[in-house]
Amino acid sequence: MGYTEVYEAWQKDPEAFWMDAAQAIDWDRPPSKALFDENAPMYEWFSDGMVNACWNAVDRHVEAGRGHQTAVIYDSPVTHTKREIPYFELRNRVANLAGALRAKGVEKGDRVIIYMPMVPEALEAMLACARLGAVHSVVFGGFAAHELAVRIDDAKPKCIIAASCGIEPGRIVHYKPLLDGAIEQASHKPDFCVIFQREQEVAHLEEGRDYNWHGFQYGVQPADCVPVEGNHPAYILYTSGTTGQPKGVVRSTGGHLVALHWTMKNVYNVKPGEVFWAASDVGWVVGHSFICYGPLVHGNTTVVFEGKPVGTPDAGTFWRVIEEHKVKSFFTAPTAFRAVKREDPKGELVRKYDLSNLSAVFLAGERADPDTITWAQDQLGVPVIDHWWQTELGYPAVCNPVGIELLPVKLGSPSVPLPGYAMKILDDDGNELPKGELGAVVTPLPLPPGTLQTLWNAEDRFRKSYLEHFPGYYETGDAGYLDDDGYLYIMARTDDVINVAGHRLSTGAMEEVLAAHPDVAECAVIGVADALKGQLPLGFLCLNAGSEKAEADVIRECVAMVRDQIGPVAAFKLACVVDRLPKTRSGKILRATMVKIANGEPFKIPATIDDPAILDEIADALRTLGFAAAD
């Protein structure tokens, strides 16, 4: 069956489609139906089935005779460590950790916060919670104490599992003092903490509260898998909210297993036993879905990589990992490829490695500009697939479904909606817009299995954030348009559509033009306040390593390119060259913060920022253009 047949099968009978997909999962008690819509618009999937996520991710592969297959490859250039963990060993480690947690009172429904770097023990902690039916909430390792405290007070964990430290190129990130500070700030106190001591830094343990990872597990009875209802929360994952109060996305167990298993074959085109690598972090949704649960539930080998795209040791590290571990399907963020391309624009490092096992590359996390995709296609010689989804959705919503059939690739588009989604473009009043017009991207309810079912302890906020503006639809918060073939183009967050003298313009479209300049490695466009036109676009340009052209010439050429390709209506005249852009640790450019700096408005440094010092560099650059007046 091709894409059209699969998509039409879902459209014709969603219930039968998802019940069929659910057969790939081991149920303790199969669900009586797929969709539970009694409390619409609060929809649920597979609610009356009984299932265990850890059993599906680990034990069932051992029981099926595949225990010696590698489950996890740990590759850590920052510690010069590599090791492989087969499925049977993973099962034993997870069962022991779960047994130790249970012995200290962790039960089904209890919350456990996990605060760890990219080490296999982070996956073991997630799976041990799932084994007991406890609800894990992974917080990105090294997150500031205040932000961790906010999450502790919201999730109210019985226990926190953390590492003594994280390792960045050239520095140790001290996790334990951050954890101690967070517990001190938080009103809710966990019963106990489990600390995975790393040899790079052994942390002080608080008597009576903190336990050493290994000592804690000594002599305990391993735990069996506890079946939970299909609608039982698998985890809470906090995503930044516009109000500064984080939103705890709740993922239910049954739907997330069914959706992720379906996705591994139909989107990423891997067979059980093949190596899948998502170069992300367990603190983000990609880490949950495609480092931990998706590959393991499907019986793949997953790569846990502790390093960076450049600097550990060089811009060839991705290619080394792909060659060495025979990666079949690779997933990363466009920002990672832009960093690699900036260091190695001609792809000299790519050619040092044998990438013959690689069949496709997938990009997500922010807009993939056509220039980056073209560079990757040229260097790697495999399909480079942009695909679109969100923390809230949990897995791809719009994608070229490589495992079903490779559709024509259109640069700048993540392609077509997958089963479960039927993207529409609406204006502010909820009217559907014609093809090619920019508007709010929405999809009709119910969302498919595996998407968020609510926000943790905040149903009103869930309804207000996603359901109320366009009744009957899920509001993505993104702006875009559909073309005549039904391909979606995501152009910006709705907040990033700027209004220049009454014209609604996408900053993403301008960034696309700027990124095509041969000397520009990376760029961002924001809308700054203007007394005459309301807003004006302003560009930030990072130049390629080794670029010899004068900065003023690059800026002049970029302004001309935007005028030529988007037109004078864009009023694009302002740009500056900067060394780097402020980003979150997952690679999203902090445009909203840059706008506030430019307009001289007060702002809070985002908790997810990678390096706060960059904001001062941006302010300095803006002052050269007459913006960012000091308070």
Side-chain angles (χ1 to χ4, degrees):
M1 277 209 298
Y3 164 74
T4 306
E5 290 80 13
V6 172
Y7 191 76
E8 282 173 356
W10 163 72
Q11 278 180 312
K12 198 169 88 211
D13 193 344
E15 181 72 22
F17 183 91
W18 292 118
M19 280 303 270
D20 182 54
Q23 289 180 13
I25 297 304
D26 278 8
W27 299 86
D28 292 82
R29 183 180 76 214
S32 64
K33 58 178 184 170
L35 180 65
F36 287 72
D37 57 3
E38 295 78 3
N39 294 324
M42 306 299 288
Y43 294 95
E44 290 182 356
W45 294 91
F46 310 117
S47 300
D48 64 357
M50 298 296 287
V51 70
N52 183 277
C54 182
W55 172 273
N56 276 282
V58 184
D59 300 61
R60 69 166 172 164
H61 305 307
V62 180
E63 298 290 324
R66 299 193 21 240
H68 288 278
Q69 181 200 312
T70 302
V72 178
I73 294 170
Y74 172 51
D75 188 307
S76 169
V78 293
T79 61
H80 309 290
T81 310
K82 287 176 203 166
R83 84 191 145 95
E84 298 190 0
I85 303 171
Y87 270 101
F88 79 87
E89 188 188 325
L90 182 63
R91 181 194 60 184
N92 297 346
R93 293 165 71 110
V94 170
N96 280 338
L97 178 58
L101 291 169
R102 186 184 58 192
K104 295 235 33 104
V106 175
E107 295 171 357
K108 175 184 169 185
D110 288 337
R111 273 82 58 213
V112 175
I113 281 184
I114 298 171
Y115 184 64
M116 297 187 83
M118 281 299 288
V119 290
E121 288 77 7
L123 273 60
E124 290 164 18
M126 294 164 78
L127 292 162
C129 292
R131 196 173 190 84
L132 299 174
V135 182
H136 63 67
S137 185
V138 182
V139 176
F140 185 91
F143 232 33
H146 168 71
E147 294 298 327
L148 180 54
V150 169
R151 288 153 177 76
I152 292 171
D153 279 338
D154 195 61
K156 300 189 170 35
K158 184 170 273 189
C159 145
I160 299 179
I161 302 175
S164 57
C165 67
I167 298 151
E168 296 277 329
R171 71 189 180 106
I172 300 276
V173 184
H174 315 289
Y175 284 11
K176 188 57 170 44
L178 292 167
L179 173 63
D180 292 342
I183 293 174
E184 200 172 301
Q185 285 181 40
S187 320
H188 172 86
K189 310 293 179 194
D191 290 3
F192 65 101
C193 298
V194 182
I195 308 299
F196 175 63
Q197 298 277 26
R198 305 191 71 184
E199 60 190 49
Q200 290 78 12
E201 177 168 279
V202 177
H204 165 74
L205 300 184
E206 291 289 323
E207 186 76 33
R209 184 195 77 189
D210 298 342
Y211 295 85
N212 178 308
W213 173 276
H214 294 289
F216 170 72
Q217 299 182 53
Y218 184 74
V220 300
Q221 274 294 105
D224 289 331
C225 296
V226 175
V228 300
E229 297 76 12
N231 61 356
H232 181 73
Y235 65 77
I236 303 164
L237 179 56
Y238 289 95
T239 180
S240 44
T242 43
T243 58
Q245 188 60 24
K247 298 187 288 201
V249 167
V250 177
R251 191 91 61 222
S252 60
T253 303
H256 118 110
L257 294 172
V258 172
L260 292 179
H261 187 283
W262 188 90
T263 302
M264 292 308 296
K265 167 69 186 80
N266 291 287
V267 170
Y268 298 117
N269 197 27
V270 283
K271 298 186 190 80
E274 292 180 326
V275 181
F276 180 80
W277 178 26
S280 180
D281 189 282
V282 287
W284 313 128
V285 70
V286 175
H288 284 60
S289 294
F290 297 117
I291 296 174
C292 185
Y293 290 106
L296 296 177
V297 168
H298 194 248
N300 292 105
T301 297
T302 187
V303 179
V304 173
F305 173 73
E306 189 182 24
K308 297 278 186 228
V310 296
T312 62
D314 59 26
T317 192
F318 276 178
W319 324 128
R320 172 193 66 78
V321 172
I322 290 168
E323 174 188 86
E324 211 167 290
H325 305 305
K326 300 188 165 39
V327 172
K328 166 106 190 290
S329 194
F330 175 50
F331 178 159
T332 189
T335 188
F337 268 15
R338 283 196 288 268
V340 170
K341 170 174 162 254
R342 188 180 187 183
E343 294 295 311
D344 184 24
K346 296 192 173 71
E348 282 151 19
L349 289 168
V350 184
R351 286 183 282 285
K352 285 172 61 177
Y353 297 94
D354 172 8
L355 306 180
S356 54
N357 270 291
L358 186 67
S359 68
V361 170
F362 293 84
L363 299 176
E366 63 210 293
R367 287 193 65 257
D369 55 286
D371 197 55
T372 297
I373 293 183
T374 308
W375 178 85
Q377 284 171 338
D378 293 347
Q379 300 303 332
L380 303 173
V382 298
V384 177
I385 306 296
D386 179 23
H387 63 328
W388 176 89
W389 48 296
Q390 303 175 310
T391 299
E392 290 86 346
L393 302 178
Y395 61 99
V398 179
C399 184
N400 198 321
V402 183
I404 300 172
E405 74 170 309
L406 181 62
L407 300 173
V409 170
K410 296 192 185 190
L411 290 179
S413 169
S415 301
V416 292
L418 294 173
Y421 298 94
M423 298 306 180
K424 293 192 172 5
I425 309 297
L426 305 182
D427 67 16
D428 289 343
D429 299 324
N431 305 306
E432 202 167 336
L433 289 166
K435 295 279 170 30
E437 279 199 33
L438 189 71
V441 179
V442 302
T443 188
L445 297 172
L447 287 173
T451 52
L452 82 169
Q453 56 182 37
T454 187
L455 294 175
W456 184 253
N457 288 337
E459 187 184 308
D460 288 350
R461 199 161 164 223
F462 168 71
R463 289 171 179 267
K464 190 166 184 296
S465 297
Y466 304 107
L467 309 180
E468 283 183 357
H469 189 174
F470 300 114
Y473 293 99
Y474 166 81
E475 181 181 6
T476 66
D478 278 338
Y481 64 90
L482 290 164
D483 73 6
D484 290 335
D485 298 322
Y487 277 58
L488 177 69
Y489 291 75
I490 299 277
M491 299 312 291
R493 290 297 288 167
T494 323
D495 315 343
D496 293 331
V497 172
I498 61 173
N499 201 318
V500 180
H503 298 281
R504 279 166 65 81
L505 296 168
S506 154
T507 53
M510 296 181 215
E511 288 172 7
E512 233 165 71
V513 175
L514 299 177
H517 189 287
D519 290 280
V520 173
E522 192 164 29
C523 60
V525 174
I526 61 170
V528 295
D530 179 73
L532 182 64
K533 297 196 170 181
Q535 281 179 301
L536 279 177
L538 188 153
F540 297 86
L541 312 171
C542 301
L543 304 187
N544 280 318
S547 166
E548 289 169 3
K549 190 169 275 191
E551 290 181 5
D553 292 342
V554 175
I555 290 171
R556 195 172 60 250
E557 289 166 14
C558 282
V559 168
M561 284 167 69
V562 173
R563 188 179 178 85
D564 179 48
Q565 292 179 45
I566 295 180
V569 65
F572 184 84
K573 298 179 182 126
L574 301 167
C576 55
V577 171
V578 292
D579 192 40
R580 50 200 186 142
L581 296 169
K583 293 181 186 175
T584 65
R585 291 193 181 93
S586 64
K588 288 190 173 63
I589 296 168
L590 292 162
R591 293 178 180 82
T593 307
M594 293 161 80
V595 170
K596 285 189 167 149
I597 294 171
N599 292 339
E601 296 167 16
F603 66 93
K604 184 178 153 208
I605 293 179
T608 51
I609 193 165
D610 192 28
D611 181 356
I614 302 176
L615 297 178
D616 294 333
E617 298 167 18
I618 294 295
D620 290 345
L622 282 163
R623 284 189 198 104
T624 65
L625 295 170
F627 292 93
D631 295 341

